[in-house]
Amino acid sequence: MIKVKRALISVSDKTGLVEFAKGLQKLGVEIISTGGTAVLLRGAGLKAQEVSEYTGFPEMLDGRVKTLHPKIHGGLLSVRDNPEHMKQLASHDIGLIDMVVVNLYPFEKTIQKKNVSLEDAIENIDIGGPSMLRSAAKNYKSVAVICNAERYTEVLNELNNNSGILSDKVLASLAIEVFERTSSYDGAIFDFLKNRFKTDNSFSSFPKTFNLSFTKLQDLRYGENPHQTAAFYKDSTNRHGLPGLQQLQGKELSFNNILDLNAAVDIVGEFDEPAAVIIKHNNPCGVAQDKTLDKAYTKAYQCDSLSAFGGIIGLNREVDAKTASAIVKSGFMECIIAPGFSDEAKKLFEPKKNLRLLVLDFKLLEQERYDFKKVTGGLLLQDKDNRRLKSEEIKIVSKIKPTKAQMDAMIFGWKLIKHVKSNAIVLIKGTQTVGIGGGQTSRVDSAIHAIRRAGALARGSVLISDAFLPMPDTVTIAAKAGVKAIIQTGGSIMDEAVIKEADKKKIAMVTTAIRHFKH
């Protein structure tokens, strides 16, 4: 426990500071401050001694050096019950500082500015602030340290209720928060500079240390299952994404909802024309593109209307009345995510109180650099699969050449296939899925699932495979169902037999030399 007699206050974000400082002064706490913070406090009628007056040394180097002084860090780091420490402080006329209130230069906000300059970013790297925070947090048994304005009320209440004394429990929790903050701050600086200097050959595309910095947005009701607790976090270095969702109606989002919404956004974001997807358990059960959004949605729904029940709908255009009407007729759905909703659409959805309407500006979404997966005791890190197929990469390997319509269907399906769990097979007609088979342990099983779901619509369709066909059996099954063209990766030791089977069954086949596994 400590009794707070002197506090050093130096903040960038001044939210709630005046009220907190007034509370400290009422308790008789002496305040030392810096620059703009001191001006603010004095303007509010509070007494605040400038750090330069306290140390006897002026600020210098355009404010880069102001609190880096023995009278500051000696007053913070000295162990109060160590006689030798106290003797040294006395010999150098250094007083004790019992509280530090510091929040850091807004580095994270600065680097989120479009085309931020390196110079601007560097000038927003705080040096004195983290130094004071770490000094105070290291000596937490003797110094209270506050880096978060949301703690002001709690700390002030504790001081008022205990005659200016803070408990060991509060002191420890404040110190832990400091190291959490400085760790996140340093990670953001490292990531920014690493990416800015990535042309330097000494830097690998995969760093020796990979820092993750996320800020909790909210607790969730539960995780994938009711017995699992969960929370939703925002990437501290990304300006846009799912944390920027605006919810217009409906109940609170669940853990699984957010996962499915992410899959929906990833898929419809692939297409320039009006497109729709329906997601169930992180897999698409229908995807389509058309000239109008309502037609795209209707075709996506028709692919697997049974699985679509209770699904997550993703749309890449503002939802109009026609599309809303089509969705309402579909029955129960969990969520709809789109760039916007017309007033007429909102009115149509209003009676469905549990349906979540979510607005996200797809144009602002930034392409993710990395994809990572947690494993026991470690992390797998890879480039995100942002690979697009180029026309010159398509190689016709069969005797029969695909028609233009079949080629267009292949390109549409190839954009989608990387979002379906491996082994993945998708059947396409035009710009509409008619059958999707994914997540099976064999490719032929995925083909059987896709054909079964397509039914009669399999006849005349184009088959998309996320990897090479290891055996001719998939071609044989596809031909029996009436498939007329296949696009696959190629590169199997059985390529010759697979292509021979395609020729035998009069199926057009092309290869890409690109694989799109999704595990």
Side-chain angles (χ1 to χ4, degrees), residues 176-476:
I176 290 169
E177 190 168 21
V178 161
F179 287 116
E180 178 183 46
R181 176 68 186 114
T182 56
S183 172
S184 169
Y185 194 74
D186 287 341
I189 295 168
F190 167 71
D191 286 335
F192 173 81
L193 293 179
K194 173 198 67 180
N195 291 325
R196 184 56 65 99
F197 297 142
K198 62 185 176 184
T199 53
D200 186 335
N201 291 331
S202 65
F203 285 87
S204 166
S205 61
F206 294 99
K208 291 181 181 179
T209 302
F210 183 62
N211 295 294
L212 297 176
S213 178
F214 294 84
T215 304
K216 189 165 81 169
L217 291 179
Q218 66 185 90
D219 289 313
L220 300 173
R221 286 178 295 162
Y222 52 80
E224 286 182 287
N225 299 290
H227 61 272
Q228 296 172 271
T229 55
F232 186 27
Y233 287 76
K234 177 186 184 299
D235 186 343
S236 302
T237 62
N238 197 329
R239 290 178 295 170
H240 308 291
L242 288 187
L245 285 172
Q246 179 189 0
Q247 187 165 348
L248 303 183
Q249 76 167 49
K251 58 187 179 180
E252 183 183 348
L253 289 171
S254 71
F255 184 97
N256 292 333
N257 289 156
I258 294 168
L259 281 176
D260 288 342
L261 287 166
N262 189 66
V265 169
D266 277 352
I267 290 175
V268 293
E270 293 279 356
F271 304 105
D272 297 323
E273 297 300 314
V277 62
I278 303 171
I279 299 289
K280 280 294 287 293
H281 300 289
N282 224 229
N283 268 316
C285 53
V287 184
Q289 175 183 289
D290 212 296
K291 292 181 180 179
T292 63
L293 193 64
D294 61 300
K295 289 181 180 178
Y297 171 75
T298 299
K299 288 181 177 180
Y301 178 74
Q302 288 170 345
C303 177
D304 189 354
S305 58
L306 180 63
S307 297
F309 179 83
I312 305 292
I313 300 170
L315 305 161
N316 67 353
R317 293 287 193 279
E318 180 181 272
V319 181
D320 55 17
K322 279 188 176 182
T323 308
S325 180
I327 293 171
V328 169
K329 290 175 184 176
S330 303
F332 173 66
M333 294 291 177
E334 287 272 6
C335 308
I336 305 171
I337 186 167
F341 294 82
S342 70
D343 290 339
E344 295 84 355
K346 291 177 190 175
K347 287 178 183 177
L348 288 168
F349 290 130
E350 193 173 358
K352 294 182 173 290
K353 300 298 181 184
N354 288 331
L355 175 63
R356 304 160 177 94
L357 299 186
L358 302 145
V359 175
L360 183 68
D361 190 343
F362 291 11
K363 293 179 182 177
L364 294 178
L365 294 179
E366 298 173 354
Q367 194 173 75
E368 296 280 359
R369 170 70 175 86
Y370 294 121
D371 176 38
F372 54 87
K373 292 176 172 64
K374 183 73 179 71
V375 295
T376 302
L379 188 77
L380 293 171
L381 186 66
Q382 64 177 347
D383 291 326
K384 191 170 174 65
D385 188 0
N386 295 318
R387 184 74 150 78
R388 291 291 184 97
L389 180 64
K390 299 173 184 175
S391 57
E392 60 267 25
E393 293 172 320
I394 299 173
K395 181 181 178 183
I396 299 171
V397 294
S398 58
K399 292 177 180 177
I400 297 176
K401 294 183 179 181
T403 65
K404 183 182 183 304
Q406 288 170 341
M407 191 66 78
D408 289 344
M410 288 177 181
I411 292 170
F412 170 81
W414 199 255
K415 290 179 181 179
L416 163 65
I417 197 70
K418 66 184 178 184
H419 300 286
V420 182
K421 292 224 175 147
S422 306
N423 291 301
I425 296 289
V426 176
L427 300 184
I428 303 289
K429 273 193 170 180
T431 54
Q432 173 189 9
T433 59
V434 293
I436 300 174
Q440 302 301 310
T441 52
S442 77
R443 192 156 302 278
V444 71
D445 280 345
S446 291
I448 290 169
H449 277 253
I451 290 165
R452 184 184 299 143
R453 283 173 175 162
L457 292 175
R459 189 158 298 280
S461 67
V462 172
L463 184 148
I464 320 294
S465 174
D466 67 346
F468 63 62
L469 301 181
M471 299 289 287
D473 49 6
T474 300
V475 180
T476 306

Side-chain angles (χ1 to χ4, degrees), residues 398 475 497-509:
S398 58
V475 180
V498 169
I499 296 167
K500 185 178 180 181
E501 180 68 4
D503 288 337
K504 180 181 176 182
K505 302 298 185 182
K506 294 182 170 49
I507 289 176
M509 179 175 286

Side-chain angles (χ1 to χ4, degrees), residues 14 169 191 311 345:
K14 297 173 175 59
K169 183 179 179 181
D191 286 335

